[in-house]
């Protein structure tokens, strides 16, 4: 316990980086996921194909491989950015595939008659998707998206492997000094568990509230 207290500032800073990485990556993944979802349900075959290839590709690639490639490979061809920014982009691009799949399942759950009614009113595909389909689809996938958020939070720990000093990396550095892995990594694990519990609580409340409102 003393190891945790003595190095609390380092661990706290690592936690802040983890929260920043999580929030920024999820925001990017949500925006990109919406775009990919629109492509996957588009009436244009080429766009549907691109969206499908994107999802299938990133769902079948290890995130750690992508992080290593981006951090150590891209600078070799002249593409280099801040380490944290690179990690955010890679995680967002990776997790967008899972958000897109969750959103597509929500879109498929919306009655086909809703889209037909929107077209009958003269709405374009984009307007129909934005004003009619997506608002209803989002209500049905709050919990799945919450699960993606929790998985994303846990996946941010992989950024430590490429040099990002997040909570996992900070805990490892403290352990190298104190050599007390059990209290140090149990404490870090509890912090991740707390973030996941808060996310689960919020999405659960939102799901129940919106289910009543429908």
């Amino acid at each position: 316990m003393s190891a945790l207290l003595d190095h609390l500032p380092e661990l706290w800073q690592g936690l802040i980086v983890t929260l920043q990485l999580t929030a920024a990556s999820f925001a990017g993944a949500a925006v990109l996921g919406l775009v990919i979802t629109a492509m996957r349900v588009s009436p244009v075959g080429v766009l549907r194909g691109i969206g499908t290839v994107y999802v299938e590709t990133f769902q079948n690639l290890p995130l750690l491989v992508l992080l290593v490639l981006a951090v150590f490979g891209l600078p070799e061809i002249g593409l280099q950015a801040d380490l944290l920014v690179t990690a955010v982009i890679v995680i967002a691009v990776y997790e967008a595939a899972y958000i897109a799949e969750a959103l597509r399942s929500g879109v498929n759950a919306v009655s086909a008659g809703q889209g037909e009614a929107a077209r009958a009113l003269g709405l374009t595909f984009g307007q129909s998707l934005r004003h009619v389909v997506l608002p209803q689809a989002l209500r049905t996938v709050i919990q799945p998206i919450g699960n993606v958020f929790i998985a994303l939070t846990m996946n941010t720990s992989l950024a430590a492997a490429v040099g990002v000093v997040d909570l996992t990396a900070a805990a490892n550095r403290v352990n190298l000094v104190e050599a007390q892995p059990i209290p140090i990594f149990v404490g870090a694990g509890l912090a991740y568990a707390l973030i996941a519990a808060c996310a689960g609580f919020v999405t659960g409340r939102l799901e129940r509230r919106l289910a009543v409102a429908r």
Side-chain angles (χ1 to χ4, degrees):
M1 184 61 70
S2 62
L4 289 175
L5 297 177
D6 292 343
H7 296 275
L8 199 56
E10 297 101 306
L11 295 171
W12 176 254
Q13 184 58 41
L15 177 60
I16 295 299
V17 172
T18 291
L19 292 174
Q20 292 173 337
L21 187 56
T22 299
S25 298
F26 184 75
V31 172
L32 184 55
L34 277 171
V35 173
I36 299 301
T37 299
M39 294 172 68
R40 294 205 70 186
V41 299
S42 168
V44 181
V46 173
L47 293 180
R48 287 200 307 273
I50 294 173
T52 299
V53 169
Y54 181 97
V55 170
E56 293 297 328
T57 299
F58 285 100
Q59 283 190 336
N60 290 285
L61 284 175
L63 176 57
L64 183 57
V65 170
L66 297 175
L67 285 167
V68 171
L69 178 63
V71 172
F72 301 111
L74 293 183
E76 295 295 325
I77 58 173
L79 298 176
Q80 189 169 4
D82 177 78
L83 186 58
L84 185 61
V85 172
T86 301
V88 166
I89 293 172
V90 172
I91 295 173
V93 168
Y94 178 82
E95 296 292 344
Y98 293 90
I99 289 183
E101 194 64 9
L103 287 174
R104 188 176 71 91
S105 69
V107 170
N108 290 339
V110 176
S111 170
Q114 298 284 337
E116 294 171 359
R119 286 191 293 274
L121 291 173
L123 297 181
T124 64
F125 169 76
Q127 292 172 329
S128 172
L129 193 64
R130 177 183 175 186
H131 298 293
V132 179
V133 178
L134 277 180
Q136 297 180 68
L138 285 170
R139 290 179 174 180
T140 67
V141 297
I142 291 174
Q143 196 61 56
I145 290 179
N147 293 337
V148 172
F149 177 85
I150 292 172
L152 183 153
T153 302
M154 304 307 157
N155 283 338
T156 59
S157 63
L158 293 174
V162 293
V164 176
V165 187
D166 67 342
L167 180 57
T168 299
N172 188 52
R173 289 184 176 187
V174 172
N175 182 58
L176 291 175
V177 174
E178 299 291 343
Q180 296 184 39
I182 293 178
I184 292 170
F185 285 106
V186 166
L190 289 175
Y192 281 108
L194 181 60
I195 296 172
C198 291
F201 175 78
V202 170
T203 54
R205 289 290 298 270
L206 282 174
E207 185 179 42
R208 288 191 296 272
R209 182 175 180 179
L210 292 177
V212 172
R214 270 186 294 179

